[in-house]
Amino acid sequence: MSEGIRTLVGDNGAKAILRGAGKQTGQKLLESRMGEFSNVLDKEEALRRACIMLEELGFAKSVKKGDGNIVIEEDIFTNAIMEENLLDSPVMYFFEGLIEGFVFFMSNHKVDIVPEVVEKGKIVYKYSWI
């Protein structure tokens, strides 16, 4: 799917579309699982919980929030990427959006997620608050 979108709208367009789709999916997924979220969490706590939920939902075997980064191991996304340069795959932007959507749903804070390391079975994202 990501390659089809890339063919239609180019690399930057595909990244923007998939990131936006991830954000919407993250918010809708949590809403469907939790209903309306009445408590607004601290942004760091929301990110910590987002990592736990991504792991519990089976997006990766391990999702850990570190100091300024998120380390993901044995994820479902890098295994789906066929190209050699994993960092440039639009699929990575869907995963970023998914995390951002989870955090926004629980905290009303925007987090910016940027991939630093992307290899088969491991992703390290750097995060900062907007």
Side-chain angles (χ1 to χ4, degrees), residues 5 14-16 40 53 55 59 69 80 86 90 92 96 99 113:
I5 293 171
K15 290 175 181 179
V40 176
M53 285 187 263
E55 194 174 300
F59 287 101
N69 67 17
L86 303 178
M92 301 314 304
E96 290 173 33
I99 296 167
I113 309 287

Side-chain angles (χ1 to χ4, degrees), residues 40-105:
V40 176
L41 299 177
D42 169 76
K43 59 188 177 187
E44 292 287 339
E45 178 62 15
L47 182 55
R48 187 187 73 78
R49 288 189 191 189
C51 292
I52 292 168
M53 285 187 263
L54 287 164
E55 194 174 300
E56 288 177 353
L57 291 169
F59 287 101
K61 186 172 184 177
S62 173
V63 183
K64 303 294 181 217
K65 178 186 164 302
D67 186 26
N69 67 17
I70 302 164
V71 179
I72 301 164
E73 295 179 345
E74 297 185 42
D75 64 286
I76 63 170
F77 295 96
T78 56
N79 288 332
I81 301 170
M82 302 303 251
E83 61 193 54
E84 288 183 31
N85 188 353
L86 303 178
L87 189 58
D88 286 338
S89 174
V91 172
M92 301 314 304
Y93 290 82
F94 179 83
F95 203 12
E96 290 173 33
L98 194 61
I99 296 167
E100 292 167 350
F102 276 28
V103 170
F104 188 77
F105 180 81

Side-chain angles (χ1 to χ4, degrees), residues 1-19 83 88-91 93:
M1 179 181 87
S2 68
E3 291 308 314
I5 293 171
R6 180 187 277 177
T7 301
L8 287 172
V9 296
D11 194 46
N12 289 337
K15 290 175 181 179
I17 289 169
L18 287 170
R19 189 175 194 162
E83 61 193 54
D88 286 338
S89 174
V91 172
Y93 290 82

